[in-house]
Amino acid sequence: MEQKKRKQLLKLIESDCRLSMEEYAIMLGEEVQIIIAEIKRLEQEKIICGYRALIDWDKVEDDWIEALVEVQTIPKGEEGYREIAERVRKFPEVKSLFFVSGRFDFILLLQGRNIKEISKFISTNLASIPDVSGTQTHFVLDKYKEWGIDLYQSDSDPRIQVSL
């Protein structure tokens, strides 16, 4: 499959991975078998890393909190950062882990049942890593947009109503 169509396919999958192979094929003007083979190849090469639904857990769970935690480490070069990332990413509370530029080295997205649970995780698991020199925690109070999806879209039709 040509590069341009491959990127279009990836964008379609990213925006709605529930579409059928037939629907992707129609949208791209390709044969279904080509789409199936391409998706299989993209999965094998770990270009497609997984499929997810975006759930607004605030509407489902009462005991639910997320925190963004900035983590500062003692510099030990690239291998040192990888070792810390390898250790931190294994915790189930860590939903996302990013190596970043700036004052802090990592940003983590943590999920827990309450502030106390998140605080205990930070003091017990993060602070106990010898190369972690500091953390700063930001609790998520509300979400307005996530992964490009507006969480506050109104259900009303945005088109202007015209009557004759």
Side-chain angles (χ1 to χ4, degrees):
M1 176 177 278
E2 67 182 63
Q3 184 71 11
K4 184 178 177 183
K5 283 202 177 181
R6 182 176 298 118
K7 284 183 182 179
Q8 289 174 330
L9 175 61
L10 289 169
K11 286 180 182 183
L12 287 171
I13 292 169
E14 186 178 51
S15 68
D16 189 352
C17 62
R18 297 176 309 142
L19 297 176
S20 69
M21 298 298 160
E22 292 78 12
E23 289 171 307
Y24 291 133
I26 290 167
M27 294 168 116
L28 294 170
E30 289 285 350
E31 296 292 323
V32 174
Q33 293 308 319
I34 291 172
I35 298 297
I36 291 169
E38 186 64 21
I39 289 174
K40 184 176 181 179
R41 185 185 70 76
L42 292 166
E43 289 170 344
Q44 289 171 342
E45 291 181 15
K46 299 290 184 204
I47 292 170
I48 296 176
C49 302
Y51 301 90
R52 295 209 47 168
L54 179 59
I55 310 295
D56 188 349
W57 286 106
D58 289 335
K59 293 179 180 174
V60 179
E61 295 280 345
D62 288 334
D63 291 339
W64 175 261
I65 193 162
E66 290 181 309
L68 295 168
V69 180
E70 297 172 313
V71 178
Q72 194 170 30
T73 63
I74 299 167
K76 286 193 172 181
E78 190 174 333
E79 198 56 40
Y81 292 125
R82 280 199 188 104
E83 288 172 11
I84 293 168
E86 186 65 29
R87 191 166 173 181
V88 171
R89 72 186 182 99
K90 291 181 180 179
F91 292 112
E93 296 88 350
V94 177
K95 300 304 175 188
S96 295
L97 171 63
F98 304 99
F99 180 51
V100 297
S101 63
R103 210 174 93 206
F104 290 87
D105 302 305
F106 295 96
I107 295 179
L108 287 64
L109 173 63
L110 301 180
Q111 292 178 340
R113 289 192 311 257
N114 51 48
I115 290 174
K116 190 172 184 173
E117 187 174 276
I118 296 286
S119 297
K120 184 176 180 184
F121 172 82
I122 293 168
S123 62
T124 304
N125 296 305
L126 287 182
S128 67
I129 298 172
D131 295 328
V132 170
S133 60
T135 63
Q136 187 165 346
T137 304
H138 309 273
F139 290 98
V140 176
L141 303 176
D142 203 355
K143 292 182 185 179
Y144 298 97
K145 188 173 185 176
E146 189 170 11
W147 296 109
I149 297 173
D150 186 348
L151 300 176
Y152 279 88
Q153 290 178 341
S154 69
D155 292 334
S156 64
D157 191 338
R159 297 177 290 184
I160 298 172
Q161 292 183 356
V162 177
S163 59
L164 300 173

